[in-house]
Amino acid sequence: MPRYGNERAGYVRAMSIGLALVLIAGFAPAQAAEETARDDVPDTGEPIESPGFYDRYIKDRLYLKPGVSYLDFGRLESTDLKLSGVKFPATLAIQNGGIEGAKASISNQYIGTIALGYNIPGTGRHLSFETIIGKPIDINFVAQPGTLRDESLAPTARLGNVVPEGIIGGEALQDLLNDLGGAVNDATGLLDTGIPPLGSELGSVKSLPIMMTLLYHPFPDSYFRPYIGGGAVYLYNYDSEITNDVLTQVNDPGFDVSSTPGYVLQAGIDIGNPEQGFFGFADVRYIGDATVKGELSDVNVRVRNPALGTTLDALGYGEDIAVGDADIELDINPIIYTVGVGYRF
């Protein structure tokens, strides 16, 4: 899976610089053409009326494309959930390291979006740059089918040979196990924890996509106007929280979702009379090389088996067990499908 580093940050900076150079290159010939046109006007002695701000910078250049977008995370790839900082008595049931099959995903969803675009002067509307404006997106993390969603991450506790020396041992330990009777498997020394599977819902985060693409329009004066392009994106993530009932029963664990840069590939089509303001459109964006890391801290769970609770009390612990920390990485690879009605000013 992709990793964070200087290469990705350098890519985003290079893309931003490239877009800035394109804009400078576009405005320069337009300004020169305007000055040439003024020089060619014969001097009649009458004052020459300069075009207003709207005519110079907005007309036939600025456009808005509000629409409905579908965020498809079907190509997402996840690492296994990895535990760290696990200490006794949690080590009776789990250990540090990855949990095979414990993977997460992101829910697909519909959202409203508004694209703001600008036809670069001097390019005959062949080139434009485009960005997304609007409120942040509420992203929901869910557990994939398998270990994380459908199985307890700590189904049993091993008592017979894991209890640290000096806490309880020898005859005292044997007496304790005997008191538990049939609750303990004699062959394995395992006791059911009663900790349930996590289920589907895990947590949420607000994500603000800061995106810019450079688009090429080969037929700007046609009724059907396809376009293609690419650019850079930075997903700024904040206000993350765990919403899972099992993980929040004892306390509110810390949850942090990293922000990430990436690249964007975009293609679409505008449909309508090129001389009129309103037009229909449909496009698709692919966001690549964007990896987010979710980090959980201070995770606690409640033991729901009274027999195990009795054992932990004998060891000097309560029914609420400190698990430690956990992290998981998601290579999100979303595709954004959008349809709507745009307006060119």
Side-chain angles (χ1 to χ4, degrees):
M1 295 182 60
R3 302 290 179 183
Y4 301 103
N6 294 331
E7 292 184 1
R8 187 182 298 173
Y11 173 84
V12 174
R13 288 195 295 269
M15 180 63 71
S16 301
I17 293 172
L19 290 174
L21 292 175
V22 169
L23 293 180
I24 294 172
F27 277 110
Q31 183 69 27
E34 183 176 323
E35 293 176 356
T36 300
R38 285 200 300 265
D39 293 340
D40 291 341
V41 175
D43 187 5
T44 61
E46 298 291 332
I48 300 175
E49 183 177 350
S50 299
F53 180 85
Y54 177 85
D55 290 331
R56 292 187 64 180
Y57 300 109
I58 304 299
K59 185 178 181 181
D60 286 336
R61 296 180 183 176
L62 186 70
Y63 60 87
L64 283 176
K65 300 172 75 171
V68 176
S69 296
Y70 180 68
L71 277 60
D72 180 5
F73 292 93
R75 281 142 301 281
L76 179 147
E77 297 180 3
S78 170
T79 63
D80 290 331
L81 183 72
K82 183 179 179 180
L83 302 178
S84 60
V86 180
K87 300 178 181 179
F88 185 84
T91 51
L92 296 174
I94 56 176
Q95 302 294 324
N96 288 320
I99 301 176
E100 185 176 358
K103 300 180 184 296
S105 186
I106 296 176
S107 298
N108 299 338
Q109 62 173 305
Y110 288 95
I111 61 170
T113 56
I114 301 177
L116 173 65
Y118 194 81
N119 293 309
I120 298 175
T123 67
R125 294 202 311 232
H126 283 286
L127 291 178
S128 70
F129 65 88
E130 195 169 291
T131 188
I132 296 292
I133 60 176
K135 68 176 186 178
I137 305 168
D138 292 318
I139 299 295
N140 296 314
F141 292 93
V142 296
Q144 293 187 20
T147 307
L148 190 60
R149 190 190 72 175
D150 305 316
E151 302 176 19
S152 172
L153 297 182
T156 56
R158 182 177 295 275
L159 302 177
N161 58 1
V162 184
V163 177
E165 183 179 356
I167 296 181
I168 186 170
E171 294 183 2
L173 176 58
Q174 190 58 52
D175 290 342
L176 177 60
L177 297 180
N178 290 339
D179 290 341
L180 294 175
V184 177
N185 185 301
D186 293 334
T188 64
L190 297 181
L191 184 64
D192 182 16
T193 64
I195 299 174
L198 295 182
S200 178
E201 182 179 351
L202 295 178
S204 64
V205 66
K206 292 186 181 298
S207 182
L208 180 64
I210 304 170
M211 181 185 307
M212 180 172 288
T213 53
L214 177 65
L215 302 178
Y216 173 63
H217 308 257
F219 312 113
D221 298 320
S222 300
Y223 191 87
F224 297 96
R225 302 182 295 280
Y227 53 86
I228 190 171
V233 63
Y234 185 79
L235 300 177
Y236 175 66
N237 299 318
Y238 66 100
D239 280 359
S240 50
E241 64 173 340
I242 293 294
T243 56
N244 182 273
D245 291 338
V246 177
L247 297 177
T248 58
Q249 184 177 14
V250 177
N251 68 329
D252 291 324
F255 184 45
D256 180 71
V257 178
S258 63
S259 300
T260 177
Y263 66 85
V264 184
L265 301 178
Q266 183 176 353
I269 186 170
D270 296 334
I271 303 174
N273 189 330
E275 302 303 322
Q276 295 180 351
F278 287 99
F279 57 93
F281 75 92
D283 73 13
V284 58
R285 292 179 176 88
Y286 171 78
I287 297 178
D289 201 24
T291 300
V292 297
K293 184 175 184 179
E295 296 181 317
L296 290 81
S297 59
D298 193 25
V299 179
N300 289 258
V301 295
R302 177 162 296 168
V303 171
R304 302 187 183 186
N305 185 332
L308 181 55
T310 300
T311 305
L312 294 174
D313 284 339
L315 297 173
Y317 296 88
E319 62 178 355
D320 296 338
I321 303 302
V323 174
D325 304 325
D327 63 77
I328 194 168
E329 287 190 4
L330 305 177
D331 191 0
I332 57 179
N333 300 319
I335 294 181
I336 305 173
Y337 303 94
T338 306
V339 295
V341 177
Y343 181 77
R344 191 179 72 225
F345 292 87

